[in-house]
Amino acid sequence: MTSESGITRFVPKHEARSAQWWVLQRISGAFTFVLLGLHMVLNHFLNPFVEAQYPDIVRDYGIASFRVVQIKMANPLYLIVSFLFVIFLLFHAFNGVRTVWLDIIPGDASRRFIGWAVVILIVVLTLFTLWLNFSVAQLPG
Amino acid sequence: MTGSTEKRIHDTQVAGGSKPRNFLNWFKPWDQGIGMWAWFIQRMTGLFLVLYLFAHFGVLSTLLIDPTGELFDTLTISMNTPFLHGLPEIGPFPLDKATSFGFIVDFVLIGAMIYHGFNGIRVTMFDFYPESVRAQKRIFWILTILGILTWIIAMLLILIVPEIVLPGG
């Protein structure tokens, strides 16, 4: 950095390509903020998907019971919202882990390794959540 | 034009986290200002939330292990069973319910989520409006107050809503 700015120690660790991860972390963070709030409200406080159709099941078993979870997961709108939530949350979480990792272990080889590890973790865990949702939704109620 | 506030922030961030030999500096945020505390708690809550994510997927996996749902309901019921009874009921808030493993986990979890989310808004604000960095301390305390209010409201709502109906209840 120039002496004009006075910042002499702020030197990027890697090439400028890392900037895309930084921007994506902000975008995924914003989506996660909104969708996590929705997730908490839907799963703790009220659930219009279930409560409108099956008010007695919610009353008799509770909002966190298996029956209610199953009815929720069978709803296509819930599936779409969950899928978006999982994608943004997993990206935000593991890109955050990547940032911490690169603070401790810098270098090109390390960056390539953790980059691929993050991609694989996101794909595997997204497939896991989809499999979970479809399996539970298809069980006999 | 770069002011001294920006310089201090960049110095703090770099001194705190960008070199392996400075790793231990993460764990001594004192005497480095409120921004360093904010950064430290942001990082710790972030790592905690990633750990929680795996625990969450682990509990949800019981839906696959036992398709009848009995295992899942047993887990949910045991996590939500109070271990103290006979506490007073203040208005609509049964204090018994606050003494369960699930409530304590929710308390820590929701606190970490609210901190991480609100501080994330603060950091993103600095990225989009660099001028706001000059007010970073005031913004931190305003968001802290808003966050604590949100936290209290969320925990009170959890006390009211029946998450799981306990056997015999």
Side-chain angles (χ1 to χ4, degrees):
Chain A
M1 293 289 150
T2 62
S3 57
E4 190 184 317
S5 72
I7 300 168
T8 51
R9 298 170 61 204
F10 190 62
V11 182
K13 281 166 290 175
H14 310 292
E15 289 171 25
R17 275 157 53 208
S18 289
Q20 68 201 350
W21 296 83
W22 171 81
V23 173
L24 286 172
Q25 188 71 351
R26 265 56 175 168
I27 295 170
S28 63
F31 276 99
T32 306
F33 189 92
V34 175
L35 290 169
L36 180 61
L38 185 63
H39 181 78
M40 296 302 279
V41 168
L42 286 184
N43 290 295
H44 280 286
F45 303 136
L46 81 154
N47 199 317
F49 298 119
V50 188
E51 272 172 355
Q53 278 177 295
Y54 310 93
D56 38 334
I57 293 184
V58 174
R59 193 188 60 238
D60 294 344
Y61 294 91
I63 207 162
S65 62
F66 176 75
R67 279 166 191 255
V68 173
V69 169
Q70 194 180 8
I71 294 169
K72 269 189 308 199
M73 286 184 173
N75 187 301
L77 187 58
Y78 184 83
L79 174 68
I80 293 167
V81 173
S82 299
F83 180 68
L84 285 177
F85 175 48
V86 160
I87 293 278
F88 283 118
L89 180 112
L90 287 177
F91 178 84
H92 191 77
F94 292 115
N95 194 32
V97 172
R98 176 184 171 275
T99 307
V100 176
W101 174 285
L102 288 177
D103 272 353
I104 303 173
I105 313 170
D108 281 346
S110 169
R111 195 185 69 221
R112 274 193 297 275
F113 168 77
I114 194 67
W116 282 110
V118 163
V119 170
I120 291 166
L121 269 171
I122 292 172
V123 171
V124 168
L125 286 174
T126 305
L127 291 177
F128 164 77
T129 55
L130 284 176
W131 175 52
L132 184 104
N133 195 320
F134 281 122
S135 308
V136 173
Q138 281 169 6
L139 293 174
Chain B
M1 175 65 203
T2 313
S4 62
T5 312
E6 285 88 336
K7 179 183 184 305
R8 212 162 44 240
I9 284 170
H10 282 151
D11 277 357
T12 314
Q13 299 269 354
V14 172
S18 82
K19 286 177 187 160
R21 67 182 158 82
N22 282 329
F23 174 55
L24 283 178
N25 284 349
W26 293 5
F27 300 97
K28 30 184 182 176
W30 49 86
D31 78 22
Q32 297 198 58
I34 202 74
M36 184 64 187
W37 275 107
W39 176 88
F40 174 72
I41 306 173
Q42 183 77 351
R43 185 154 278 200
M44 290 305 127
T45 49
L47 292 173
F48 167 73
L49 291 170
V50 175
L51 286 182
Y52 175 81
L53 184 66
F54 283 100
H56 192 55
F57 283 167
V59 170
L60 289 181
S61 298
T62 57
L63 294 167
L64 296 169
I65 297 168
D66 176 16
T68 64
E70 252 177 71
L71 180 58
F72 180 80
D73 277 349
T74 308
L75 260 176
T76 319
I77 287 170
S78 55
M79 282 192 293
N80 284 279
T81 304
F83 41 76
L84 285 179
H85 296 277
L87 292 179
E89 211 167 294
I90 301 173
F93 311 115
L95 289 190
D96 278 359
K97 269 186 75 180
T99 67
S100 67
F101 179 73
F103 186 87
I104 293 166
V105 170
D106 279 349
F107 182 76
V108 177
L109 172 73
I110 291 176
M113 273 171 15
I114 290 174
Y115 179 84
H116 197 88
F118 277 44
N119 193 51
I121 290 176
R122 178 175 157 274
V123 172
T124 309
M125 192 195 291
F126 299 156
D127 291 338
F128 283 104
Y129 308 101
E131 285 298 306
S132 61
V133 166
R134 293 174 199 285
Q136 63 115 350
K137 287 181 188 172
R138 208 181 318 150
I139 295 168
F140 178 84
W141 289 116
I142 291 170
L143 286 177
T144 301
I145 292 166
L146 283 178
I148 289 173
L149 285 177
T150 315
W151 196 8
I152 292 171
I153 292 169
M155 296 324 289
L156 289 177
L157 281 173
I158 284 186
L159 276 184
I160 300 173
V161 178
E163 289 187 47
I164 188 91
V165 175
L166 300 177

